[in-house]
Amino acid sequence: MISERYLKKAGITVKKQLSILEVNKIAAIISDKICNTFSEHGLSKSDLFSALSQVDMYSAEFQDCSAAKYDYKNNSIFFKEHIRFTEIEVPAIHECLHFIQTVRNNNGKLKRLGLYEVNSFKDADMTMNEAAVQLMATSVVSGEKPQESVKYYGLEFNAESPNYYPIECSLVRQMAYFTGTYPLYHSALYSDDIFKNTFIMKSSKETYQNISKNLDLISKLQENIHTNISHLQKIEDNVDNIEKIQHYNENLQNLKDQVREVALHTQELILTSCAESDLNLVRNNQDVKDFKNKLYKFQKYLLVTEGYNFYNGFYIKMMEALDKKRELIAKYGSLEVYNEIPENLSLIETRQTKLNLFEVAKQKIIELFKLNRQEAGERKESNN
């Protein structure tokens, strides 16, 4: 039985528990859609249906704008009352994906939720996990539907999820542009570190952690924006309240500016770290062509604002470095056939400037083994 105290805190008013027939219908629809969309991840449609059909489901009213909510403590899912399921399909699938990714310890306590490590040091990757799940839910419903052009806080971009976590989803999608979506979705479904380690191989552990912190900050800033808007709506527009209104408006603008700045900085972290890493792997003329094409197509995922020219400057810098590499390829042939790479092959300023390509690859492998060993030790220690 779900406690009244919990429901009140979560802003949920239960109207009724769904019948077995209703639960089975929802479980059948969602298990079918998820397994068909992510067939490469080896999900069992029958097992997923069986698991979802055991979840307590309710129709409810929410104090916020939610259309569905998953309560991991009581293994329950709540759906907005008096609305057709097709109208809340994305939120419903989002919450069911949370159910799928739930990992508990031997005492039944939540241990991990996809990319989000509960009770880890500083609760890592919460917003990143929300964005990953939302991208998956949108993919299940929309398939290859074109992105929608949106504008939030002075940022213009093409959003795969225009109504839920649009900025966060777009930034995580940028990360997946360089890693591929498979590692992201696999880690979201199976609660492992494949995506994290793959992205770290493309950049660095510090870069990954900074991006994760920035995503959490963006989410928090947007919560503060909604709180300020709520306060403004409650203040009567009269002479006595002019100072209050001015205060909240100024604070609101400051918060929006912060969201924009953090989002653009995060985008630059993703682009520079991953593109520079990819450039170091260019060995032949086909690699040159592929790199140029990949960097050019990144424009599709860009967040832009008035006067923002970072991408253009970075693209020119990369093309200049690529031209130098093309010259080396013309002189030496395919660079991978040489044991010794010319010193001037390091064409951009990175933390690996003094390392040649083979040393970079070797160092990356060492870093990955260290990372996996460290994480294994931390998991063992936490289980004890």
Side-chain angles (χ1 to χ4, degrees):
M1 185 70 179
I2 303 175
S3 70
E4 291 293 329
R5 182 179 178 182
Y6 163 78
L7 293 173
K8 185 177 180 180
K9 184 177 180 181
I12 300 172
T13 302
V14 173
K15 293 302 179 180
K16 71 168 186 175
Q17 183 167 2
L18 300 188
S19 67
I20 294 175
L21 184 62
E22 290 171 315
V23 171
N24 286 345
K25 183 178 180 180
I26 292 172
I29 292 172
I30 290 181
S31 58
D32 182 69
K33 286 179 175 290
I34 289 176
C35 290
N36 287 340
T37 305
F38 306 111
S39 57
E40 69 274 23
H41 293 282
L43 295 169
S44 167
K45 192 178 298 185
S46 59
D47 289 348
L48 183 53
F49 168 78
S50 178
L52 284 171
S53 63
Q54 301 302 311
V55 177
D56 291 330
M57 299 185 186
Y58 302 86
S59 65
E61 289 182 353
F62 305 118
Q63 289 182 3
D64 54 25
C65 298
S66 299
K69 287 186 177 182
Y70 169 59
D71 169 30
Y72 66 85
K73 291 183 179 179
N74 298 286
N75 201 35
S76 304
I77 300 177
F78 303 88
F79 299 101
K80 190 174 182 179
E81 189 186 26
H82 302 314
I83 190 168
R84 291 182 300 174
F85 180 78
T86 53
E87 295 177 20
I88 60 166
E89 203 167 1
V90 171
I93 291 173
H94 181 113
E95 300 307 321
C96 287
L97 283 168
H98 277 322
F99 163 75
I100 293 170
Q101 63 180 193
T102 301
V103 176
R104 303 177 188 275
N105 62 20
N106 294 332
N107 298 321
K109 188 176 180 180
L110 184 66
K111 182 179 179 181
R112 183 156 178 167
L113 206 63
L115 283 71
Y116 170 47
E117 296 184 61
V118 184
N119 296 324
S120 65
F121 186 66
K122 295 185 179 179
D123 277 348
D125 306 332
M126 180 185 290
T127 303
M128 193 179 294
N129 184 63
E130 284 295 334
V133 169
Q134 183 58 27
L135 284 171
M136 295 177 74
T138 302
S139 178
V140 168
V141 175
S142 303
E144 296 300 320
K145 181 180 177 182
Q147 296 175 321
E148 183 177 329
S149 179
V150 298
K151 186 173 182 177
Y152 288 99
Y153 315 127
L155 292 169
E156 297 183 51
F157 54 99
N158 296 318
E160 294 182 54
S161 176
N163 300 316
Y164 300 95
Y165 310 104
I167 296 174
E168 296 92 329
C169 284
S170 293
L171 290 170
V172 171
R173 185 63 185 85
Q174 288 183 5
M175 298 173 74
Y177 180 75
F178 290 101
T179 64
T181 57
Y182 184 89
L184 178 66
Y185 295 165
H186 191 282
S187 289
L189 288 169
Y190 292 101
S191 295
D192 60 34
D193 289 333
I194 287 179
F195 174 68
K196 177 181 178 180
N197 290 345
T198 302
F199 189 83
I200 287 174
M201 286 283 287
K202 281 280 185 182
S203 55
S204 69
K205 186 173 183 179
E206 181 182 7
T207 299
Y208 179 88
Q209 291 173 338
N210 286 335
I211 292 169
S212 180
K213 290 175 185 176
N214 286 352
L215 288 168
D216 288 339
L217 177 57
I218 289 169
S219 182
K220 182 64 177 177
L221 288 169
Q222 290 182 100
E223 288 178 14
N224 292 339
I225 286 172
H226 295 314
T227 299
N228 271 262
I229 291 174
S230 178
H231 287 318
L232 273 170
Q233 290 172 340
K234 293 175 183 178
I235 299 175
E236 293 183 11
D237 188 6
N238 56 49
V239 177
D240 295 334
N241 290 326
I242 288 178
E243 288 188 7
K244 279 186 178 180
I245 294 173
Q246 184 177 356
H247 167 74
Y248 282 118
N249 276 323
E250 289 176 353
N251 196 35
L252 197 58
Q253 187 57 53
N254 181 52
L255 290 168
K256 291 179 179 180
D257 291 344
Q258 288 184 62
V259 170
R260 184 171 61 255
E261 290 169 8
V262 175
L264 292 176
H265 174 62
T266 305
Q267 173 173 266
E268 291 164 17
L269 279 176
I270 295 168
L271 178 58
T272 56
S273 61
C274 293
E276 289 173 358
S277 177
D278 281 352
L279 181 62
N280 277 332
L281 297 177
V282 171
R283 306 292 182 84
N284 53 52
N285 287 323
Q286 184 60 50
D287 289 345
V288 169
K289 183 179 178 180
D290 291 343
F291 176 85
K292 183 176 181 179
N293 188 48
K294 186 175 183 178
L295 187 58
Y296 179 79
K297 288 185 175 181
F298 184 80
Q299 292 179 90
K300 177 182 176 181
Y301 302 97
L302 273 177
L303 309 175
V304 298
T305 190
E306 186 176 355
Y308 181 73
N309 298 310
F310 177 84
Y311 171 81
N312 293 337
F314 183 76
Y315 184 85
I316 292 171
K317 174 186 174 183
M318 290 294 100
M319 290 305 100
E320 290 173 349
L322 195 62
D323 284 340
K324 292 179 181 179
K325 204 151 205 180
R326 189 185 287 109
E327 291 173 6
L328 288 171
I329 293 169
K331 183 176 181 179
Y332 295 99
S334 181
L335 300 177
E336 60 194 352
V337 302
Y338 287 92
N339 292 325
E340 295 294 333
I341 303 299
E343 290 183 4
N344 62 347
L345 198 56
S346 184
L347 303 170
I348 51 179
E349 289 296 325
T350 69
R351 67 186 184 286
Q352 301 153 332
T353 300
K354 295 183 180 179
L355 300 179
N356 64 37
L357 292 177
F358 294 113
E359 290 171 328
V360 169
K362 179 181 177 181
Q363 185 62 33
K364 286 289 188 182
I365 293 170
I366 292 173
E367 288 175 4
L368 182 58
F369 277 119
K370 285 183 178 178
L371 184 65
N372 289 333
R373 192 180 299 116
Q374 177 183 345
E375 289 172 347
E378 290 173 351
R379 285 195 295 270
K380 182 177 180 181
E381 190 175 313
S382 63
N383 289 334
N384 291 337

